[in-house]
Amino acid sequence: MLNKRRFLAHRMRDLGLLRVIERLARRPCLLVLAYHRIGDPASTPDYGPVFSATPEDFRAQIKVIQRAFRLLNPTELVDAASGEMPLTEPCAAITFDDGYRDQYHHALPALVDAGASATFFIPPDLIDHPRPFWWDLVSRIIRQTNRERLELEEPARLSLDLTRTTRDEALAQVVRACLAARRLDEVRLAEHLQERAGVSLDLDALGRSAMMTWEQVEALAEAGMGIGSHGQTHRRLADLDESEQSEELVSSKRSLEARLGRTVDAISYPYGEQGDYDDRTCRLAHETGYRAGFTFGGRPNRPGSGRPFEVARINVGSADSPEMVRARLALDRLFGRSFI
């Protein structure tokens, strides 16, 4: 399927169809791209699907975006998302979630070299107390275990026969179960998986190597990047009661503003799909003082949408070549969705 999508994107370019679509799709819109990790997923036992691009592909993708759109800076993004800046042409913006350290090492230099900027959504508790995200933890344990069978009770009852299924298939099963769990207990999950798999990980060391430091977050801000909230602890907000949601929104905003000495206007809801946040989340974000809230949804935001706390973003994955990103954005602009 991936090869077909890649082939189609390159054929559209070679035949000139992309240029035609881009000319036809000149109506005003805002396309927000969401990136996570910048690096090579084959070089680490961490969870591969969270990687968005190699450093080389990310640099090429910035150029693709700059050629096709007015690339907004972080202030303009919030102004456009909140409806305070009218959309009069095709606009785009680049965002990052999670606060991974490779964003600082690879994304920041690429953005600076291109004269571009992006907004980085940070969960402060993971900077204060670095720890690996649960999906990276699961990936490392599944890939390192020598056990032939895993009988799990957390995050759900699973029986994995590693002599009959690949590690990638087993990993996908556990990840799906984690995503389906409400109020996932990450500490209990880490302890349970390590015990059942016979794997011992240094979680503190993994967290420190994975996450940015406050000094690196501050360096992003000093370089002209935007900093937004990604919740305080990266919990799924819809799982929480109203007071817990409010605490996630308020404490993350307060922590970032105190550390950076600047107002934090935007939040990206952790996980970000429908059901990961709810109407309470949007209302509380407004009441907390945010001006925009970002989700996923893979669609362009049209002028006058009136949804400043449900600004849709398009997720970029490591399988997306620069030409695939170009084709996806062109199709999204013209049809409101992409088949690539």
Side-chain angles (χ1 to χ4, degrees):
M1 183 62 180
L2 169 61
N3 289 337
K4 291 180 180 178
R5 291 170 52 223
R6 188 184 296 269
F7 173 78
L8 182 57
H10 284 253
R11 287 297 291 164
M12 290 173 66
R13 177 202 61 190
D14 295 341
L15 294 172
L17 292 177
L18 273 182
R19 288 188 179 276
V20 172
I21 292 172
E22 287 168 340
R23 284 197 296 268
L24 291 173
R26 292 300 301 171
R27 57 179 172 162
C29 67
L30 170 62
L31 284 171
V32 186
L33 291 89
Y35 289 84
H36 290 83
R37 300 195 68 172
I38 301 298
D40 181 4
S43 68
T44 172
D46 286 347
Y47 186 53
V50 80
F51 283 82
S52 295
T54 64
E56 296 77 17
D57 276 353
F58 180 61
R59 287 177 178 272
Q61 288 168 13
I62 296 173
K63 293 179 181 178
V64 165
I65 298 164
Q66 288 176 318
R67 285 196 297 265
F69 295 90
R70 175 185 170 189
L71 185 56
L72 303 183
N73 65 40
T75 299
E76 292 171 327
L77 170 59
V78 174
D79 287 344
S82 66
E84 295 181 19
M85 185 183 88
L87 292 172
T88 59
E89 60 186 312
C91 297
I94 297 171
T95 66
F96 282 86
D97 283 356
D98 294 341
Y100 277 106
R101 184 172 294 213
D102 48 52
Q103 297 171 6
Y104 171 80
H105 286 301
H106 299 308
L108 177 60
L111 289 161
V112 170
D113 289 348
S117 55
T119 298
F120 293 77
F121 293 106
I122 304 294
D125 192 64
L126 273 76
I127 308 299
D128 285 328
H129 309 288
R131 57 188 181 274
F133 284 103
W134 61 259
W135 48 83
D136 291 329
L137 178 74
V138 171
S139 180
R140 285 177 175 265
I141 291 172
I142 295 293
R143 297 190 190 287
Q144 293 180 27
T145 184
N146 293 320
R147 303 276 169 87
E148 293 185 346
R149 295 189 66 88
L150 291 181
E151 300 293 338
L152 303 180
E153 306 298 329
E154 296 286 344
R157 185 164 295 179
L158 292 173
S159 180
L160 304 174
D161 184 345
L162 298 180
T163 66
R164 293 176 174 269
T165 186
T166 68
R167 299 301 169 112
D168 284 344
E169 291 168 343
L171 171 58
Q173 289 187 54
V174 179
V175 167
R176 284 196 296 269
C178 289
L179 289 172
R182 312 314 290 188
R183 287 183 172 270
L184 181 69
D185 187 329
E186 297 184 29
V187 173
R188 187 166 64 185
L189 174 70
E191 294 173 349
H192 181 72
L193 290 182
Q194 289 181 90
E195 185 271 323
R196 293 297 172 93
V199 172
S200 179
L201 299 177
D202 186 338
L203 302 187
D204 289 338
L206 289 174
R208 289 192 300 271
S209 66
M211 303 303 297
M212 277 190 264
T213 64
W214 277 117
E215 290 72 24
Q216 290 168 336
V217 175
E218 291 166 357
L220 291 176
E222 291 168 2
M225 305 298 137
I227 305 297
S229 165
H230 200 36
Q232 178 69 11
T233 62
H234 200 274
R235 288 188 290 175
R236 184 187 283 115
L237 294 169
D239 288 354
L240 310 179
D241 64 33
E242 191 160 316
S243 64
E244 291 172 316
Q245 283 205 46
S246 180
E247 176 61 23
E248 284 283 319
L249 300 176
V250 171
S251 60
S252 58
K253 190 175 193 297
R254 184 182 297 137
S255 296
L256 290 166
E257 290 178 342
R259 190 79 197 200
L260 300 174
R262 61 165 66 180
T263 301
V264 171
D265 288 327
I267 181 168
S268 160
Y269 310 129
Y271 303 98
E273 301 285 356
Q274 286 285 343
D276 298 323
Y277 66 97
D278 54 26
D279 291 341
R280 297 173 303 162
T281 313
C282 299
R283 173 175 55 80
L284 289 168
H286 175 66
E287 293 173 355
T288 301
Y290 295 102
R291 293 170 54 209
F294 291 83
T295 72
F296 287 104
R299 66 176 186 274
N301 301 279
R302 300 296 182 188
S305 66
R307 300 167 69 181
F309 292 96
E310 290 186 276
V311 182
R313 296 185 297 167
I314 298 168
N315 189 56
V316 180
S318 60
D320 293 332
S321 69
E323 286 305 323
M324 288 174 68
V325 169
R326 179 186 174 190
R328 288 182 64 193
L329 296 181
L331 292 166
D332 275 318
R333 284 160 55 193
L334 185 60
F335 299 113
R337 62 182 298 272
S338 171
F339 51 80
I340 290 180

